Amino acid sequence: MDAHSPENLYPYTVSRPIYSNPTFEEDNERQAREERTLRERLSRTCGSVWTRQALKVVKGVFPVIDWLSRYPIREWLPSDVISGVSTGLVCSLQGLAYALLVSVAPVYGLYSAFFPILTYFLLGTSRHISVGPFPVTCLMVGSVVLTLAPDDHFLLPGNGTGVNGTEADGIVVDVEAMEAQRIMVASSMTVFLPIQVVMGLLQVGFLVRYLSDPLVGGFTTAAAFHVLISQLKIVLSVPTNNHSGCFSILYTLIDVFTNIRQTNRADLVAGLLTIVIVMAVKEVNSKFRHKIPVPIPIEVIVTVVAAGISYATELESRYGASIVHSIPRGFAPAQPPNTELLWNILGSSFSTAVVGYAVAVSVAKVYAAKHDYTIDGNQELIAFGFSNVFCGCFSGFVASTALSRTAVQESTGGKSQVAGIISAVMVMIVILALGNLLEPLQKSVLAAIVIANLKGMFMQVTEVPTLWRQNRADCFIWLATCLASVVLGLDVGLLAGLVFEMGTVVVRTQFPACSTLGNIPGTNIYRNMKDYKNVRHLIFPGIKIFKCNAPIYFANIDYFKERLRVTVGFDSVRVFKKRNKALKKIHKLIKKGKLRATEVSLGVDNKGFESEQDSGRESGQVEDGDWPVPEVEVRVDWALELPVRVSVPKVQIHSLVLDFSAVSFLDVVAVKSLRLVVQQLLISFFWTNSGMFIPVLLHLLPLKKFFSTESLE
């Protein structure tokens, strides 16, 4: 074989005993291998780690598995039962009342108070909120319902006689068809809220944080005005047209006062008495909440008494009072949404979903902090999304949480969502057995209950003076959102308020708070010189500290440079041009022999700014002919009178400290501009009155990656 063949290029030697299979087995004892079945192999491969991860995922999707397995029955169950019964009665009555805001039959309010609780019990993370109808979201749904299914679409020829405005001037309203279409619109809009589920799966629950407390406060206060006006016509029992959108409140008020002579006295008296009694007893509950073991269920008492009086005195037949009429027993069959309505209600569905979620999470966070547990915002999105889809399939409308109802559930001792399930059982009893007993109930009583529960929203007006003292920008957000929502409607008003809020953020960063800092005598503390009387300039004259309290980016860099110019007291570009012009004239005088000067190098070689001359030319701030000429080698004391007729601005400082400790970020435009600003200031400070070279100091560590050490030396 050839010695240079590939086999012989890399020779190697093996030094070990030569084994046969029997001798190898004899010298090396074989270890018995454990045989495992396929199931055992899969179990070992997955192991306990996979099991724990899978269990964690399941508990994340269904939080009920986690807390229900640790539920202390003896300690919590009695309190949850009492709370569930009390909350269930309130849920039933508020469901009936809030259905009027959606412009559908009261029975659908009962469905909306029942179905969402079931899914939230499985998916929700809050132990205390009571899920169900909320006045603001109900009104937002109602505005869409009245827009897509107004009375005018269901007019039929009539004989000119009718009751409660169903028939007049030969025209009759097909009430049955109208109610069917309206509940179809409301339930379809509710089913089209899985956008909450999508947002939860995408983990974008943080977007709701853009709905600040002032914005939500102004919006809910405006919604309370809308609710009040919408229920006013029911309390007075006067006929009005259906209005939605811009100036709907004004048009409704015009209709109410136009037909004020048609007010039904029985409905008016019942409504006013209900408002007074409910609000008075709620004040008693609030004032003596530590002494009363269970709040007085005044809504339940008033409703039962009003229904009994209406039935006994026959208010409908004798006085023409408007009553609930039919509350059918049992549940409506499940029905799919009307997909033809999708594009008409998609935008309103999104805004309603955001508002409902924002309110629910805000309330949930309050009680979570009070009882020392946490909630998952993204899981709440998923929970409310599925709750609304499930509720909409059974002829319900949008669910969130009502502040008063949640307060009842928590104040009566509710410890978990077991109280919610028991409240759902109470609502189911009303749907299946007790609903017909409420048929004689006047609608004005339900409307009065809604109005009485708006007190908390209207009391938010008292926050305006506090906001004005604390932060006027937040006060303007509150006022702008409230005014826009009242005038333009809730959907457009919310969008306008959000745009205004974003605008205030942009304005506050585009015009940042810049200040000149001074020293507090006897300390090393530096504060804004305009805020304190005893603040003084630094011990050494000629030094200034300039602070910026906002990010610096393309939108505010010009404002920043202007404030910096005001602080230093001169325009560095103008100073540079004037000095350069004076130097050129001095150089000419020296050449002609009319002036003597000590030859000294004009400056030092600063490599950190070699490229800045090009950037200055490109930006157009310094012309080509304005850069110092290397042949000019004179030293000038700029504080003295110059031998040439050139007015050079005086530079009163020799050092500048830029305090960027509050600057969170810089963009590319800001970095380029700051480099040029530093260069211009360095040229202005290059020769001071004492002939010293003084730098500009940057007090911001992140800027090291933008400004080299050489450029700051």
Side-chain angles (χ1 to χ4, degrees), residues 36 39 103 218 262 370 449 461 467 471 480 573 630 658 672:
R36 296 187 182 91
R39 180 178 180 181
S103 301
Q262 302 181 36
K370 181 178 180 180
I449 292 175
V461 176
L467 287 174
N471 191 315
V573 175
L658 298 179
K672 291 181 179 179

Side-chain angles (χ1 to χ4, degrees), residues 101-161:
L101 296 174
V102 189
S103 301
V104 295
V107 67
Y108 298 110
L110 294 176
Y111 300 157
S112 303
F114 173 75
F115 288 106
I117 299 176
L118 305 180
T119 48
Y120 189 84
F121 176 80
L122 300 174
L123 302 174
T125 59
S126 174
R127 299 204 307 253
H128 292 90
I129 65 172
S130 176
V131 182
F134 178 57
V136 176
T137 54
C138 289
L139 190 64
M140 295 177 74
V141 175
S143 65
V144 177
V145 168
L146 293 179
T147 301
L148 299 181
D151 295 345
D152 298 342
H153 291 184
F154 306 95
L155 299 179
L156 298 174
N159 56 14
T161 60

Side-chain angles (χ1 to χ4, degrees), residues 165-423:
T166 57
E167 209 174 293
D169 299 330
I171 300 296
V172 63
V173 177
D174 189 349
V175 177
E176 184 176 350
M178 181 181 67
E179 289 186 352
Q181 181 62 22
R182 286 183 173 180
I183 192 57
M184 174 59 71
V185 173
S187 60
S188 298
M189 182 175 176
T190 305
V191 173
F192 291 148
L193 290 182
I195 189 171
Q196 292 177 322
V197 179
V198 175
M199 292 174 65
L201 294 176
L202 295 177
Q203 304 288 297
V204 293
F206 67 90
L207 293 176
V208 183
R209 296 174 187 172
Y210 287 100
L211 299 179
S212 63
D213 289 344
L215 185 142
V216 173
F219 176 76
T220 52
T221 303
F225 279 104
H226 280 277
V227 172
L228 174 64
I229 300 304
S230 68
Q231 299 306 290
L232 180 62
K233 62 183 181 182
I234 299 177
V235 171
L236 298 175
S237 190
V238 295
T240 61
N241 295 321
N242 298 322
H243 303 287
S244 60
C246 299
F247 304 104
S248 59
I249 285 184
L250 179 61
Y251 296 143
T252 302
L253 285 175
I254 292 174
D255 289 347
V256 168
F257 287 107
T258 300
N259 301 318
I260 194 69
R261 295 181 179 274
Q262 302 181 36
T263 300
N264 187 288
R265 296 180 181 178
D267 286 336
L268 177 60
V269 171
L272 293 178
L273 287 176
T274 301
I275 293 174
V276 172
I277 294 173
V278 171
M279 294 186 68
V281 176
K282 281 183 174 291
E283 284 295 320
V284 173
N285 287 338
S286 177
K287 188 174 182 179
F288 299 99
R289 61 181 180 276
H290 299 296
K291 298 181 180 180
I292 303 176
V294 177
I296 301 173
I298 186 59
E299 291 100 335
V300 178
I301 297 173
V302 167
T303 302
V304 172
V305 172
I309 293 176
S310 176
Y311 176 78
T313 58
E314 299 179 354
L315 292 179
E316 181 190 15
S317 58
R318 286 176 135 188
Y319 303 100
S322 177
I323 64 174
V324 172
H325 286 292
S326 175
I327 300 181
R329 291 185 178 181
F331 295 97
Q335 59 179 352
N338 188 349
T339 56
E340 296 179 357
L341 300 173
L342 176 61
W343 298 111
N344 294 326
I345 62 180
L346 188 60
S348 299
S349 297
F350 178 76
S351 59
T352 305
V354 171
V355 171
Y357 170 72
V359 172
V361 169
S362 299
V363 176
K365 285 182 177 179
V366 170
Y367 288 101
K370 181 178 180 180
H371 295 276
D372 194 22
Y373 66 93
T374 59
I375 63 169
D376 185 347
N378 292 307
Q379 181 62 27
E380 289 294 294
L381 272 172
I382 296 174
F384 278 103
F386 279 113
S387 296
N388 284 316
V389 172
F390 184 59
C391 179
C393 290
F394 288 91
S395 301
F397 45 83
V398 176
S400 180
T401 184
L403 310 181
S404 58
R405 193 168 61 243
T406 300
V408 169
Q409 180 165 318
E410 191 268 344
S411 62
T412 52
K415 305 294 185 183
S416 68
Q417 283 301 323
V418 171
I421 285 294
I422 295 174
S423 68

